[in-house]
Amino acid sequence: MAIDEVTESPILALIDQIFRLRQAGEPVLGLHIGEPDFDTPQGIRDAAYRAMNEGFTHYVSAQGMPDLRDAIARRLHERNGISASADDIVVMSAKFAIYATLLATIRAGDEVILPDPTYLFEQPLQLVGGRPVFVPLKPDFSLDVDALRAAVTSRSRLLILVSPANPTGRVLRADEVRAAVEIARDAHLTIVSDETYEALIYEGEHVSPARVAGPDVPVVTVGSFSKLYAMTGWRAGFVVAPPEVRMRLVKVMEHTLTCLPPFVQKACLWALGNAAADEERFRRLFRERRDHLLDRLRTVDGLTAVKPEGAFYVFPRYEAPLDSVEFCSKLLAKEKLALVPGVAFGPHGERHVRISYTSSTASLDDGMDRLERFLGSAR
């Protein structure tokens, strides 16, 4: 069975270690999780409550409610230059959308090209029988276009792009996106563009592949409400896909989740129309935290960090004779600080750790003090 082929992510072992320490009463500082440290804005929560009281507690279309899909299409057109209608959109959580898209586009043995390091696509790929092909990024985490092109074979089916990137925070430049689109055109690949963090950009401009590609390059765009409005637990997102892929995605929803809860969809609709101020507030706050963390990291011997331009992670390289899993495990045991081992994001993430700056500046300072002490002893 495909499920038996799925490798265990190093993150799961780390979470188990954190759980055991906290159960024992240890004061673990978690800078590992990609989740804002504040609640969903009150207006969004109130919108869900109103929707429940108005009777939006029953089944709705597996594709998603038309008014929400229409609002998503308008936002994509106005912000990202993506020409999409409500009919092109399927509402589902972004993480499930990744799995559903793989299920809808590849067959067992097909290859999927992954710039490395990148988000956790390896395990969903294994679930559907696909084969990840890791292509290393350049030292500044930009795309290596020549390496991408060289990685294409007759079995290649998808090219996955993430911008702003998790775990690196890198924002793809327009020329990188255009080059990736040309590779996809020449090799008849479908591009899957994970744009979960597109609202959290501090330098540069977000360029959607769907805006650049012509009709001869199919692009599946994945979006999320989780980071945009601090709605991680709501599991709300969407996919924009060409007709043949969209039809398959709806079929996946029909035979798995049935639909996203309608009161959640109503809350998302309210957010799109009314929470712009919250969106801007979150962006300012995360930028302040990023700048604060980078200033502190510059004082830590044994760390080298590339400035992230978006999302809310920094992915420094460390100097210590430990692989990243051992590094993070010992750091957690000794200093009670939780970071994510870089190898979780692909083989070229080794000797890196991911630090999330979704916590207060005081917590970030505390974490860097612990990390500095550990590096001093580990080196």
Side-chain angles (χ1 to χ4, degrees):
M1 295 179 66
I3 192 68
D4 295 325
E5 305 300 321
V6 176
T7 55
E8 182 174 320
S9 168
I11 298 175
L12 297 180
L14 176 77
I15 290 173
D16 182 65
Q17 189 178 356
I18 293 169
F19 177 77
R20 286 186 278 105
L21 285 169
R22 285 177 170 164
Q23 283 288 98
E26 297 284 0
V28 174
L29 174 58
L31 300 183
H32 62 297
I33 193 166
E35 180 173 46
D37 62 339
F38 37 82
D39 293 333
T40 304
Q42 185 70 49
I44 300 175
R45 287 181 278 148
D46 289 344
Y49 182 71
R50 285 194 305 273
M52 284 187 278
N53 285 335
E54 291 168 2
F56 289 97
T57 58
H58 303 278
Y59 292 136
V60 292
S61 165
Q63 187 170 353
M65 298 173 74
D67 51 357
L68 175 58
R69 290 188 282 116
D70 187 61
I72 292 169
R74 288 197 304 272
R75 178 186 172 92
L76 290 171
H77 177 70
E78 293 167 2
R79 288 176 58 96
N80 299 339
I82 297 176
S83 296
S85 71
D87 288 341
D88 301 316
I89 294 168
V90 184
V91 177
M92 62 177 78
S93 80
K95 191 164 188 176
F96 185 74
I98 290 168
Y99 169 71
T101 299
L102 295 172
L103 194 63
T105 54
I106 68 171
R107 297 180 179 181
D110 285 347
E111 295 177 350
V112 176
I113 298 174
L114 299 173
D116 174 19
T118 193
Y119 182 63
L120 313 175
F121 297 103
E122 181 178 5
Q123 285 76 24
L125 261 172
Q126 292 171 339
L127 276 174
V128 301
R131 178 176 175 267
V133 177
F134 296 103
V135 180
L137 296 169
K138 293 181 178 180
D140 64 351
F141 301 135
S142 60
L143 289 182
D144 187 330
V145 175
D146 292 335
L148 281 180
R149 191 177 295 278
V152 175
T153 74
S154 61
R155 299 294 300 172
S156 302
R157 295 293 178 268
L158 301 182
L159 167 60
I160 295 183
L161 302 174
V162 186
S163 182
N166 176 6
T168 66
R170 180 66 161 53
V171 175
L172 290 177
R173 311 297 193 266
D175 61 334
E176 293 174 276
V177 175
R178 283 193 292 269
V181 167
E182 286 305 313
I183 291 171
R185 177 177 288 112
D186 293 343
H188 306 290
L189 305 178
T190 295
I191 293 177
V192 178
S193 178
D194 182 343
E195 303 184 14
T196 295
Y197 297 92
E198 61 89 15
L200 295 175
I201 293 180
Y202 318 115
E203 284 90 30
E205 176 189 6
H206 178 66
V207 180
S208 294
R211 176 184 175 183
V212 174
D216 57 335
V217 180
V219 178
V220 177
T221 304
V222 177
S224 177
F225 292 91
S226 288
K227 321 298 182 178
L228 177 59
Y229 300 119
M231 296 176 69
T232 52
W234 299 66
R235 311 317 298 139
F238 57 88
V239 185
V240 187
E244 65 278 5
V245 177
R246 186 257 302 161
M247 292 171 61
R248 295 175 191 144
L249 292 173
V250 173
K251 190 178 294 186
V252 172
M253 282 293 290
E254 288 173 340
H255 296 291
T256 53
L257 305 181
T258 303
C259 63
L260 198 70
F263 51 87
V264 170
Q265 296 193 49
K266 284 294 186 182
C268 293
L269 177 62
W270 187 93
L272 288 173
N274 300 277
D278 292 303
E279 183 180 339
E280 180 57 33
R281 176 168 58 89
F282 296 162
R283 182 165 43 245
R284 287 198 304 269
L285 177 61
F286 288 132
R287 179 172 185 162
E288 290 169 3
R289 290 178 175 180
R290 179 205 64 169
D291 293 345
H292 182 90
L293 177 59
L294 287 174
D295 285 344
R296 180 67 180 87
L297 285 172
R298 292 186 186 102
T299 70
V300 179
D301 289 337
L303 284 182
T304 305
V306 176
K307 183 179 182 180
E309 300 151 328
F312 38 56
Y313 310 106
V314 63
F315 199 60
R317 183 174 180 86
Y318 61 83
E319 295 175 13
L322 302 168
D323 65 43
S324 59
V325 171
E326 186 179 11
F327 183 96
C328 288
S329 180
K330 289 186 174 181
L331 173 65
L332 182 57
K334 186 171 183 178
E335 291 290 346
K336 308 303 183 289
L337 173 63
L339 305 180
V340 182
V343 74
F345 303 99
H348 293 90
E350 189 55 271
R351 298 301 172 115
H352 291 76
V353 291
R354 191 189 75 175
I355 305 172
S356 173
Y357 49 88
T358 56
S359 299
S360 68
T361 54
S363 293
L364 295 175
D365 285 340
D366 182 12
M368 295 310 98
D369 289 344
R370 300 185 196 198
L371 180 57
E372 189 168 31
R373 284 196 300 268
F374 178 75
L375 274 169
S377 64
R379 294 169 67 205

